[in-house]
Amino acid sequence: MRADARANRAAIIDAARRLYTTRGPDAPLSAIAEEAGVGAGTLYRHFPTQQDLVLGVVEWLSATIHEVRERWLGPMQTNPHEAWPGFVADIVELRVAALMPRVVEGVDIETVIAQISRRRDAALAAVGEVVELAKGAGLVREDVTAAQFQMGLAVATRPLPSAASALVPDVSSWLVEVYLRGLRPD
């Protein structure tokens, strides 16, 4: 793929992620193309259907989780108490809680479930490697699985209504901190 085509594809996925997290699965493809700074033809060349775009976003998310794992694997092995909060912050920054539920609501899940499941399983395996290191450092209870960790983190960081966020600023950071304390062994 040519460099400009790769750049257009990345811009489309980035725009889709932003709009899916703010507008949900009903974000029109025309709005995504506009947000990405490309024409509709370019969007459809890369992603002929909404499902193709959703799979592109899922592929990006899985690849990015692997990059986060790679970035934190060494620090988790040498200084897990300092690295663990950084790893968690990077995972939170992906906004999985805001993105994935809305994305899967916008597609015929039966047609893409196998592809999404493969990507999810690979991402959970990557997260699981870091969770295992956190367990070894006494930061996470032994009974916590990667899926439980990820799901709990997604629930703790789920976007709140704007009124709630205004009433209790930075509540998300506080919830993550409480969640991480709750994962520790007794």
Side-chain angles (χ1 to χ4, degrees), residues 10-41:
I12 293 165
I13 290 172
D14 191 47
R17 287 185 313 104
R18 284 193 308 275
L19 291 178
Y20 286 153
T21 59
T22 59
R23 293 176 64 177
D26 296 329
L29 292 176
S30 60
I32 292 169
E34 182 178 327
E35 176 85 6
V38 301

PDB file of all heavy atoms in Angstrom, residues 10-41:
ATOM      1  N   ALA A  10      -5.281   5.379   8.020  1.00  0.00           N
ATOM      2  CA  ALA A  10      -5.079   5.700   9.433  1.00  0.00           C
ATOM      3  C   ALA A  10      -5.950   6.883   9.851  1.00  0.00           C
ATOM      4  O   ALA A  10      -6.532   6.885  10.946  1.00  0.00           O
ATOM      5  CB  ALA A  10      -3.608   5.991   9.701  1.00  0.00           C
ATOM      6  N   ALA A  11      -6.058   7.895   8.985  1.00  0.00           N
ATOM      7  CA  ALA A  11      -6.886   9.060   9.298  1.00  0.00           C
ATOM      8  C   ALA A  11      -8.358   8.674   9.412  1.00  0.00           C
ATOM      9  O   ALA A  11      -9.082   9.183  10.280  1.00  0.00           O
ATOM     10  CB  ALA A  11      -6.700  10.145   8.237  1.00  0.00           C
ATOM     11  N   ILE A  12      -8.801   7.771   8.567  1.00  0.00           N
ATOM     12  CA  ILE A  12     -10.197   7.315   8.604  1.00  0.00           C
ATOM     13  C   ILE A  12     -10.461   6.558   9.902  1.00  0.00           C
ATOM     14  O   ILE A  12     -11.477   6.790  10.573  1.00  0.00           O
ATOM     15  CB  ILE A  12     -10.529   6.447   7.371  1.00  0.00           C
ATOM     16  CG1 ILE A  12     -10.489   7.301   6.100  1.00  0.00           C
ATOM     17  CG2 ILE A  12     -11.879   5.758   7.528  1.00  0.00           C
ATOM     18  CD1 ILE A  12     -10.448   6.497   4.805  1.00  0.00           C
ATOM     19  N   ILE A  13      -9.564   5.666  10.269  1.00  0.00           N
ATOM     20  CA  ILE A  13      -9.743   4.904  11.511  1.00  0.00           C
ATOM     21  C   ILE A  13      -9.733   5.838  12.715  1.00  0.00           C
ATOM     22  O   ILE A  13     -10.567   5.717  13.620  1.00  0.00           O
ATOM     23  CB  ILE A  13      -8.686   3.790  11.634  1.00  0.00           C
ATOM     24  CG1 ILE A  13      -8.979   2.697  10.600  1.00  0.00           C
ATOM     25  CG2 ILE A  13      -8.654   3.206  13.049  1.00  0.00           C
ATOM     26  CD1 ILE A  13      -7.913   1.641  10.481  1.00  0.00           C
ATOM     27  N   ASP A  14      -8.815   6.789  12.720  1.00  0.00           N
ATOM     28  CA  ASP A  14      -8.745   7.738  13.828  1.00  0.00           C
ATOM     29  C   ASP A  14     -10.036   8.553  13.925  1.00  0.00           C
ATOM     30  O   ASP A  14     -10.574   8.758  15.011  1.00  0.00           O
ATOM     31  CB  ASP A  14      -7.526   8.643  13.661  1.00  0.00           C
ATOM     32  CG  ASP A  14      -7.247   9.456  14.897  1.00  0.00           C
ATOM     33  OD1 ASP A  14      -7.247   8.886  16.013  1.00  0.00           O
ATOM     34  OD2 ASP A  14      -7.042  10.682  14.768  1.00  0.00           O
ATOM     35  N   ALA A  15     -10.533   9.022  12.800  1.00  0.00           N
ATOM     36  CA  ALA A  15     -11.789   9.787  12.790  1.00  0.00           C
ATOM     37  C   ALA A  15     -12.954   8.916  13.254  1.00  0.00           C
ATOM     38  O   ALA A  15     -13.809   9.374  14.031  1.00  0.00           O
ATOM     39  CB  ALA A  15     -12.052  10.330  11.389  1.00  0.00           C
ATOM     40  N   ALA A  16     -12.986   7.682  12.803  1.00  0.00           N
ATOM     41  CA  ALA A  16     -14.061   6.771  13.223  1.00  0.00           C
ATOM     42  C   ALA A  16     -14.015   6.556  14.733  1.00  0.00           C
ATOM     43  O   ALA A  16     -15.054   6.590  15.401  1.00  0.00           O
ATOM     44  CB  ALA A  16     -13.943   5.440  12.483  1.00  0.00           C
ATOM     45  N   ARG A  17     -12.819   6.361  15.279  1.00  0.00           N
ATOM     46  CA  ARG A  17     -12.700   6.176  16.733  1.00  0.00           C
ATOM     47  C   ARG A  17     -13.248   7.390  17.478  1.00  0.00           C
ATOM     48  O   ARG A  17     -14.004   7.256  18.432  1.00  0.00           O
ATOM     49  CB  ARG A  17     -11.234   5.963  17.132  1.00  0.00           C
ATOM     50  CG  ARG A  17     -10.662   4.636  16.763  1.00  0.00           C
ATOM     51  CD  ARG A  17      -9.251   4.432  17.298  1.00  0.00           C
ATOM     52  NE  ARG A  17      -8.327   5.529  17.085  1.00  0.00           N
ATOM     53  CZ  ARG A  17      -7.928   6.396  18.020  1.00  0.00           C
ATOM     54  NH1 ARG A  17      -8.359   6.301  19.249  1.00  0.00           N
ATOM     55  NH2 ARG A  17      -7.071   7.359  17.737  1.00  0.00           N
ATOM     56  N   ARG A  18     -12.859   8.570  17.034  1.00  0.00           N
ATOM     57  CA  ARG A  18     -13.324   9.795  17.702  1.00  0.00           C
ATOM     58  C   ARG A  18     -14.846   9.924  17.616  1.00  0.00           C
ATOM     59  O   ARG A  18     -15.509  10.214  18.606  1.00  0.00           O
ATOM     60  CB  ARG A  18     -12.657  11.031  17.103  1.00  0.00           C
ATOM     61  CG  ARG A  18     -11.229  11.223  17.549  1.00  0.00           C
ATOM     62  CD  ARG A  18     -10.690  12.610  17.188  1.00  0.00           C
ATOM     63  NE  ARG A  18     -10.850  12.979  15.789  1.00  0.00           N
ATOM     64  CZ  ARG A  18      -9.994  12.649  14.821  1.00  0.00           C
ATOM     65  NH1 ARG A  18      -8.909  11.942  15.094  1.00  0.00           N
ATOM     66  NH2 ARG A  18     -10.205  13.033  13.573  1.00  0.00           N
ATOM     67  N   LEU A  19     -15.391   9.728  16.427  1.00  0.00           N
ATOM     68  CA  LEU A  19     -16.832   9.899  16.265  1.00  0.00           C
ATOM     69  C   LEU A  19     -17.629   8.777  16.910  1.00  0.00           C
ATOM     70  O   LEU A  19     -18.717   9.030  17.448  1.00  0.00           O
ATOM     71  CB  LEU A  19     -17.189  10.045  14.785  1.00  0.00           C
ATOM     72  CG  LEU A  19     -16.713  11.348  14.153  1.00  0.00           C
ATOM     73  CD1 LEU A  19     -17.065  11.399  12.668  1.00  0.00           C
ATOM     74  CD2 LEU A  19     -17.289  12.552  14.873  1.00  0.00           C
ATOM     75  N   TYR A  20     -17.123   7.564  16.875  1.00  0.00           N
ATOM     76  CA  TYR A  20     -17.826   6.477  17.552  1.00  0.00           C
ATOM     77  C   TYR A  20     -17.879   6.712  19.061  1.00  0.00           C
ATOM     78  O   TYR A  20     -18.856   6.365  19.716  1.00  0.00           O
ATOM     79  CB  TYR A  20     -17.168   5.126  17.286  1.00  0.00           C
ATOM     80  CG  TYR A  20     -17.401   4.561  15.902  1.00  0.00           C
ATOM     81  CD1 TYR A  20     -16.479   3.707  15.332  1.00  0.00           C
ATOM     82  CD2 TYR A  20     -18.544   4.870  15.167  1.00  0.00           C
ATOM     83  CE1 TYR A  20     -16.676   3.178  14.071  1.00  0.00           C
ATOM     84  CE2 TYR A  20     -18.746   4.338  13.901  1.00  0.00           C
ATOM     85  CZ  TYR A  20     -17.807   3.491  13.364  1.00  0.00           C
ATOM     86  OH  TYR A  20     -18.006   2.962  12.121  1.00  0.00           O
ATOM     87  N   THR A  21     -16.819   7.289  19.625  1.00  0.00           N
ATOM     88  CA  THR A  21     -16.833   7.522  21.073  1.00  0.00           C
ATOM     89  C   THR A  21     -17.711   8.703  21.448  1.00  0.00           C
ATOM     90  O   THR A  21     -18.217   8.755  22.563  1.00  0.00           O
ATOM     91  CB  THR A  21     -15.415   7.735  21.650  1.00  0.00           C
ATOM     92  OG1 THR A  21     -14.807   8.835  21.018  1.00  0.00           O
ATOM     93  CG2 THR A  21     -14.573   6.491  21.503  1.00  0.00           C
ATOM     94  N   THR A  22     -17.903   9.642  20.536  1.00  0.00           N
ATOM     95  CA  THR A  22     -18.706  10.814  20.872  1.00  0.00           C
ATOM     96  C   THR A  22     -20.131  10.739  20.326  1.00  0.00           C
ATOM     97  O   THR A  22     -21.054  11.237  20.959  1.00  0.00           O
ATOM     98  CB  THR A  22     -18.054  12.112  20.369  1.00  0.00           C
ATOM     99  OG1 THR A  22     -17.882  12.045  18.957  1.00  0.00           O
ATOM    100  CG2 THR A  22     -16.713  12.344  21.055  1.00  0.00           C
ATOM    101  N   ARG A  23     -20.313  10.107  19.167  1.00  0.00           N
ATOM    102  CA  ARG A  23     -21.645  10.090  18.532  1.00  0.00           C
ATOM    103  C   ARG A  23     -22.268   8.710  18.463  1.00  0.00           C
ATOM    104  O   ARG A  23     -23.435   8.589  18.110  1.00  0.00           O
ATOM    105  CB  ARG A  23     -21.553  10.663  17.119  1.00  0.00           C
ATOM    106  CG  ARG A  23     -21.219  12.152  17.140  1.00  0.00           C
ATOM    107  CD  ARG A  23     -21.035  12.731  15.780  1.00  0.00           C
ATOM    108  NE  ARG A  23     -22.245  12.698  14.959  1.00  0.00           N
ATOM    109  CZ  ARG A  23     -22.309  13.210  13.752  1.00  0.00           C
ATOM    110  NH1 ARG A  23     -21.258  13.822  13.224  1.00  0.00           N
ATOM    111  NH2 ARG A  23     -23.416  13.149  13.057  1.00  0.00           N
ATOM    112  N   GLY A  24     -21.503   7.677  18.767  1.00  0.00           N
ATOM    113  CA  GLY A  24     -22.047   6.324  18.748  1.00  0.00           C
ATOM    114  C   GLY A  24     -22.059   5.701  17.374  1.00  0.00           C
ATOM    115  O   GLY A  24     -21.509   6.242  16.416  1.00  0.00           O
ATOM    116  N   PRO A  25     -22.716   4.551  17.261  1.00  0.00           N
ATOM    117  CA  PRO A  25     -22.689   3.788  16.010  1.00  0.00           C
ATOM    118  C   PRO A  25     -23.440   4.454  14.875  1.00  0.00           C
ATOM    119  O   PRO A  25     -23.294   4.072  13.729  1.00  0.00           O
ATOM    120  CB  PRO A  25     -23.346   2.456  16.393  1.00  0.00           C
ATOM    121  CG  PRO A  25     -24.213   2.788  17.551  1.00  0.00           C
ATOM    122  CD  PRO A  25     -23.496   3.881  18.296  1.00  0.00           C
ATOM    123  N   ASP A  26     -24.223   5.474  15.189  1.00  0.00           N
ATOM    124  CA  ASP A  26     -24.975   6.156  14.143  1.00  0.00           C
ATOM    125  C   ASP A  26     -24.171   7.231  13.431  1.00  0.00           C
ATOM    126  O   ASP A  26     -24.701   7.923  12.562  1.00  0.00           O
ATOM    127  CB  ASP A  26     -26.250   6.763  14.736  1.00  0.00           C
ATOM    128  CG  ASP A  26     -27.187   5.698  15.273  1.00  0.00           C
ATOM    129  OD1 ASP A  26     -27.188   4.577  14.714  1.00  0.00           O
ATOM    130  OD2 ASP A  26     -27.900   5.974  16.251  1.00  0.00           O
ATOM    131  N   ALA A  27     -22.909   7.381  13.792  1.00  0.00           N
ATOM    132  CA  ALA A  27     -22.065   8.365  13.105  1.00  0.00           C
ATOM    133  C   ALA A  27     -22.035   8.005  11.621  1.00  0.00           C
ATOM    134  O   ALA A  27     -21.609   6.914  11.252  1.00  0.00           O
ATOM    135  CB  ALA A  27     -20.662   8.360  13.685  1.00  0.00           C
ATOM    136  N   PRO A  28     -22.507   8.910  10.770  1.00  0.00           N
ATOM    137  CA  PRO A  28     -22.554   8.585   9.339  1.00  0.00           C
ATOM    138  C   PRO A  28     -21.151   8.506   8.735  1.00  0.00           C
ATOM    139  O   PRO A  28     -20.234   9.216   9.156  1.00  0.00           O
ATOM    140  CB  PRO A  28     -23.353   9.730   8.731  1.00  0.00           C
ATOM    141  CG  PRO A  28     -23.356  10.815   9.738  1.00  0.00           C
ATOM    142  CD  PRO A  28     -23.061  10.219  11.074  1.00  0.00           C
ATOM    143  N   LEU A  29     -21.016   7.662   7.755  1.00  0.00           N
ATOM    144  CA  LEU A  29     -19.731   7.513   7.083  1.00  0.00           C
ATOM    145  C   LEU A  29     -19.300   8.830   6.453  1.00  0.00           C
ATOM    146  O   LEU A  29     -18.112   9.135   6.405  1.00  0.00           O
ATOM    147  CB  LEU A  29     -19.795   6.398   6.048  1.00  0.00           C
ATOM    148  CG  LEU A  29     -19.964   4.989   6.632  1.00  0.00           C
ATOM    149  CD1 LEU A  29     -20.108   3.962   5.513  1.00  0.00           C
ATOM    150  CD2 LEU A  29     -18.803   4.621   7.530  1.00  0.00           C
ATOM    151  N   SER A  30     -20.256   9.635   6.004  1.00  0.00           N
ATOM    152  CA  SER A  30     -19.903  10.932   5.415  1.00  0.00           C
ATOM    153  C   SER A  30     -19.241  11.827   6.463  1.00  0.00           C
ATOM    154  O   SER A  30     -18.283  12.552   6.150  1.00  0.00           O
ATOM    155  CB  SER A  30     -21.139  11.612   4.829  1.00  0.00           C
ATOM    156  OG  SER A  30     -22.117  11.817   5.849  1.00  0.00           O
ATOM    157  N   ALA A  31     -19.709  11.781   7.715  1.00  0.00           N
ATOM    158  CA  ALA A  31     -19.098  12.579   8.792  1.00  0.00           C
ATOM    159  C   ALA A  31     -17.703  12.059   9.112  1.00  0.00           C
ATOM    160  O   ALA A  31     -16.790  12.844   9.399  1.00  0.00           O
ATOM    161  CB  ALA A  31     -19.977  12.556  10.032  1.00  0.00           C
ATOM    162  N   ILE A  32     -17.539  10.749   9.036  1.00  0.00           N
ATOM    163  CA  ILE A  32     -16.221  10.157   9.294  1.00  0.00           C
ATOM    164  C   ILE A  32     -15.244  10.581   8.206  1.00  0.00           C
ATOM    165  O   ILE A  32     -14.107  10.967   8.491  1.00  0.00           O
ATOM    166  CB  ILE A  32     -16.327   8.623   9.422  1.00  0.00           C
ATOM    167  CG1 ILE A  32     -17.108   8.275  10.705  1.00  0.00           C
ATOM    168  CG2 ILE A  32     -14.949   7.966   9.426  1.00  0.00           C
ATOM    169  CD1 ILE A  32     -17.509   6.824  10.834  1.00  0.00           C
ATOM    170  N   ALA A  33     -15.684  10.545   6.958  1.00  0.00           N
ATOM    171  CA  ALA A  33     -14.818  10.977   5.851  1.00  0.00           C
ATOM    172  C   ALA A  33     -14.440  12.443   6.015  1.00  0.00           C
ATOM    173  O   ALA A  33     -13.264  12.803   5.870  1.00  0.00           O
ATOM    174  CB  ALA A  33     -15.526  10.754   4.513  1.00  0.00           C
ATOM    175  N   GLU A  34     -15.407  13.280   6.372  1.00  0.00           N
ATOM    176  CA  GLU A  34     -15.127  14.705   6.565  1.00  0.00           C
ATOM    177  C   GLU A  34     -14.139  14.915   7.717  1.00  0.00           C
ATOM    178  O   GLU A  34     -13.185  15.675   7.596  1.00  0.00           O
ATOM    179  CB  GLU A  34     -16.430  15.452   6.852  1.00  0.00           C
ATOM    180  CG  GLU A  34     -16.237  16.943   7.006  1.00  0.00           C
ATOM    181  CD  GLU A  34     -17.554  17.659   7.252  1.00  0.00           C
ATOM    182  OE1 GLU A  34     -18.599  17.213   6.722  1.00  0.00           O
ATOM    183  OE2 GLU A  34     -17.528  18.669   7.972  1.00  0.00           O
ATOM    184  N   GLU A  35     -14.370  14.225   8.824  1.00  0.00           N
ATOM    185  CA  GLU A  35     -13.480  14.332   9.987  1.00  0.00           C
ATOM    186  C   GLU A  35     -12.056  13.879   9.636  1.00  0.00           C
ATOM    187  O   GLU A  35     -11.077  14.417  10.134  1.00  0.00           O
ATOM    188  CB  GLU A  35     -14.040  13.475  11.138  1.00  0.00           C
ATOM    189  CG  GLU A  35     -13.191  13.420  12.367  1.00  0.00           C
ATOM    190  CD  GLU A  35     -13.428  14.578  13.322  1.00  0.00           C
ATOM    191  OE1 GLU A  35     -14.344  15.384  13.102  1.00  0.00           O
ATOM    192  OE2 GLU A  35     -12.672  14.672  14.293  1.00  0.00           O
ATOM    193  N   ALA A  36     -11.964  12.870   8.771  1.00  0.00           N
ATOM    194  CA  ALA A  36     -10.654  12.339   8.364  1.00  0.00           C
ATOM    195  C   ALA A  36      -9.977  13.211   7.311  1.00  0.00           C
ATOM    196  O   ALA A  36      -8.785  13.037   7.038  1.00  0.00           O
ATOM    197  CB  ALA A  36     -10.808  10.920   7.826  1.00  0.00           C
ATOM    198  N   GLY A  37     -10.732  14.118   6.697  1.00  0.00           N
ATOM    199  CA  GLY A  37     -10.173  14.972   5.661  1.00  0.00           C
ATOM    200  C   GLY A  37      -9.991  14.255   4.333  1.00  0.00           C
ATOM    201  O   GLY A  37      -9.091  14.579   3.556  1.00  0.00           O
ATOM    202  N   VAL A  38     -10.877  13.264   4.090  1.00  0.00           N
ATOM    203  CA  VAL A  38     -10.821  12.524   2.822  1.00  0.00           C
ATOM    204  C   VAL A  38     -12.199  12.549   2.176  1.00  0.00           C
ATOM    205  O   VAL A  38     -13.195  12.833   2.832  1.00  0.00           O
ATOM    206  CB  VAL A  38     -10.372  11.051   3.031  1.00  0.00           C
ATOM    207  CG1 VAL A  38      -8.995  10.984   3.669  1.00  0.00           C
ATOM    208  CG2 VAL A  38     -11.383  10.259   3.839  1.00  0.00           C
ATOM    209  N   GLY A  39     -12.238  12.225   0.916  1.00  0.00           N
ATOM    210  CA  GLY A  39     -13.507  12.135   0.215  1.00  0.00           C
ATOM    211  C   GLY A  39     -14.203  10.820   0.506  1.00  0.00           C
ATOM    212  O   GLY A  39     -13.588   9.854   0.975  1.00  0.00           O
ATOM    213  N   ALA A  40     -15.494  10.791   0.212  1.00  0.00           N
ATOM    214  CA  ALA A  40     -16.274   9.572   0.431  1.00  0.00           C
ATOM    215  C   ALA A  40     -15.710   8.398  -0.362  1.00  0.00           C
ATOM    216  O   ALA A  40     -15.673   7.267   0.124  1.00  0.00           O
ATOM    217  CB  ALA A  40     -17.735   9.811   0.062  1.00  0.00           C
ATOM    218  N   GLY A  41     -15.247   8.675  -1.578  1.00  0.00           N
ATOM    219  CA  GLY A  41     -14.679   7.597  -2.398  1.00  0.00           C
ATOM    220  C   GLY A  41     -13.467   6.966  -1.748  1.00  0.00           C
ATOM    221  O   GLY A  41     -13.297   5.741  -1.797  1.00  0.00           O
TER     222      GLY A  41
END
